[in-house]
């Protein structure tokens, strides 16, 4: 019985997190209510509060979950922490894959970054998001794989900007171009072009 209750609780938590992620990405933090999250998850109105306390705690958990999920998704193909050109290309490709499969993370982070009232709050998530990817870039620079004049922070920002742009512009530029970022051909072309632009400019 205890195992059944535990499984039910875990399933309810996942339903709430999934619903909250969807609504926060679509409507933003302020326009989303716990009642809407409960309705979308198919649970009672009080269930989100029961598991997560309040909306801000739930919002924080959604972002933490997505960032940790991406880290695990990218890291699992980096063999034995060996820093090579191929490992760096794998990290970039996996990041782009995750970004396109989970566009809500990009939408949430960009929306919050543009909100002056919440910039300080959202900044608290960036150190964890940045630190694990910086490790590989910094090691590559120390090993002479990346040119010594390359600034790691600027490199990271440029890589993120190129990876995120199709998500951010899906309803504007991509619509005008009649492009769909969910199509595999578009994803493959995007990854190839981003890889070429970055690695042709940074390798020693």
């Amino acid at each position: 019985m205890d195992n059944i209750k535990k499984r039910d609780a875990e399933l309810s938590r996942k339903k709430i997190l999934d619903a909250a992620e969807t609504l926060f990405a679509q409507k933003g933090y302020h326009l989303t209510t716990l009642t809407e999250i409960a309705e979308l998850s198919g649970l009672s109105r009080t269930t989100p509060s029961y598991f997560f306390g309040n909306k801000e705690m739930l919002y924080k958990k959604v972002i933490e979950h997505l960032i940790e999920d991406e880290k695990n998704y990218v890291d699992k193909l980096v063999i034995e922490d060996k820093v090579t050109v191929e490992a760096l290309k794998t990290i970039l490709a996996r990041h782009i894959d995750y970004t396109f499969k989970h566009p809500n993370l990009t939408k949430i982070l960009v929306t919050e970054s543009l909100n002056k009232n919440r910039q300080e709050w959202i900044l608290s998530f960036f150190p964890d998001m940045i630190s694990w990817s910086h490790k590989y870039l910094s090691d590559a620079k120390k090993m002479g794989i990346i040119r010594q004049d390359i600034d790691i922070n600027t490199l990271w920002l440029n890589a993120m900007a190129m990876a995120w742009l199709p998500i951010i512009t899906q309803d504007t530029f991509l619509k005008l171009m009649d492009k769909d970022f969910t199509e595999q051909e578009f994803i493959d072309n995007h990854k190839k072009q981003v890889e070429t632009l970055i690695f042709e400019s940074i390798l020693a």
Side-chain angles (χ1 to χ4, degrees), residues 14-78:
K14 184 179 186 307
K15 286 181 177 179
I16 294 166
L17 284 171
D18 289 345
E21 176 190 326
T22 298
L23 289 171
F24 286 140
Q26 288 178 351
K27 302 178 64 175
Y29 175 81
H30 290 294
L31 295 179
T32 299
T33 68
L34 290 178
T35 299
E36 290 174 318
I37 292 170
E39 290 175 353
L40 184 60
S41 65
L43 301 169
S44 69
R45 295 177 63 181
T46 59
T47 305
S49 297
Y50 174 79
F51 282 105
F52 297 97
N54 56 45
K55 186 169 74 169
E56 183 155 329
M57 291 176 67
L58 174 55
Y59 191 60
K60 181 178 181 181
K61 184 58 66 175
V62 166
I63 297 175
E64 287 176 345
H65 168 73
L66 286 169
I67 291 175
E68 184 62 25
D69 190 47
E70 180 182 0
K71 179 180 181 297
N72 293 334
Y73 183 82
V74 172
D75 273 357
K76 69 181 181 180
L77 282 190
V78 181

Side-chain angles (χ1 to χ4, degrees), residues 176-190:
L176 289 172
M177 298 173 185
D178 195 26
K179 297 291 185 181
D180 182 357
F181 75 78
T182 64
E183 293 180 355
Q184 192 59 48
E185 182 180 1
F186 179 88
I187 296 172
D188 291 340
N189 287 335
H190 181 66

Side-chain angles (χ1 to χ4, degrees), residues 130 134 150-158:
I130 294 171
H134 266 44
I150 296 295
D151 178 76
I152 297 300
N153 290 322
T154 302
L155 171 58
W156 185 89
L157 284 171
N158 288 336

Side-chain angles (χ1 to χ4, degrees), residues 108-142:
I108 290 171
L109 291 177
V110 169
T111 299
E112 292 301 296
S113 296
L114 294 173
N115 186 335
K116 291 184 178 180
N117 295 323
R118 295 182 61 78
Q119 284 173 349
E120 185 174 344
W121 187 86
I122 200 69
L123 279 173
S124 65
F125 293 98
F126 285 157
D128 287 339
M129 185 178 180
I130 294 171
S131 61
W132 61 271
S133 54
H134 266 44
K135 174 184 180 298
Y136 295 109
L137 295 175
S138 297
D139 287 349
K141 186 172 180 178
K142 290 175 184 176

